[in-house]
Amino acid sequence: MTIKAYLYDKCGTCRKAKQWFQQNGVAIEEIPIVDAPPAADELRRMWKASGLSLQKFFNTSGQFYRELGLKDKLGAMSEDEMLELLASNGKLIKRPLVSDGKSVTVGFKEEEYEQTWGKR
């Protein structure tokens, strides 16, 4: 299956991830996360496949996250509410978000990329 990489051009971490894929000869489908964030049902599939807590999908260092005061609100929100919120604004999603339908990585850690995407 195609590796979908949700990226943001102005994000340094996204540029590092994109460079890693290029250097390792791994083809990806680039999707602009701000213009075309994944839908709630797609986010649910990625979250379940990732094995991470749903909170790990939030870009906690983002301005929009802080403006909405989500640090104090996430604990009281349902999974559906969190997924709908993430789907409503790509800047709320921690990036890069990469998935091939089975494996998912959130953020960029070279060792994790090597382990997950390097054996292609």
Side-chain angles (χ1 to χ4, degrees):
M1 188 172 186
T2 305
I3 298 173
K4 292 182 179 183
Y6 290 88
L7 306 170
Y8 179 52
D9 286 344
K10 295 181 173 105
C11 168
T13 308
C14 292
R15 288 193 298 269
K16 285 180 190 174
K18 187 175 171 179
Q19 183 179 22
W20 185 92
F21 283 118
Q22 289 169 342
Q23 289 175 343
N24 288 276
V26 179
I28 59 170
E29 176 188 343
E30 284 185 55
I31 301 169
I33 198 164
V34 175
D35 300 330
D41 59 334
E42 178 71 10
L43 283 164
R44 181 181 301 281
R45 283 191 292 275
M46 287 191 262
W47 163 51
K48 296 289 187 185
S50 74
L52 299 170
S53 73
L54 188 51
Q55 283 86 345
K56 296 282 187 191
F57 278 72
F58 281 86
N59 176 14
T60 57
S61 60
Q63 182 179 353
F64 200 55
Y65 179 90
R66 290 192 303 269
E67 284 174 10
L68 293 176
L70 292 177
K71 178 181 176 190
D72 300 321
K73 295 178 183 174
L74 283 183
M77 293 175 83
S78 71
E79 292 171 355
D80 287 340
E81 289 172 324
M82 285 190 261
L83 289 164
E84 287 297 330
L85 186 60
L86 287 167
S88 73
N89 188 319
K91 287 191 175 182
L92 285 175
I93 302 171
K94 185 173 175 110
R95 53 192 184 256
L97 177 59
V98 183
S99 175
D100 65 358
K102 294 181 203 130
S103 299
V104 176
T105 54
V106 180
F108 175 72
K109 292 187 181 110
E110 193 166 346
E111 316 79 52
E112 185 180 23
Y113 269 50
E114 198 65 54
Q115 189 175 22
T116 307
W117 311 117
K119 299 174 179 91
R120 303 254 162 197

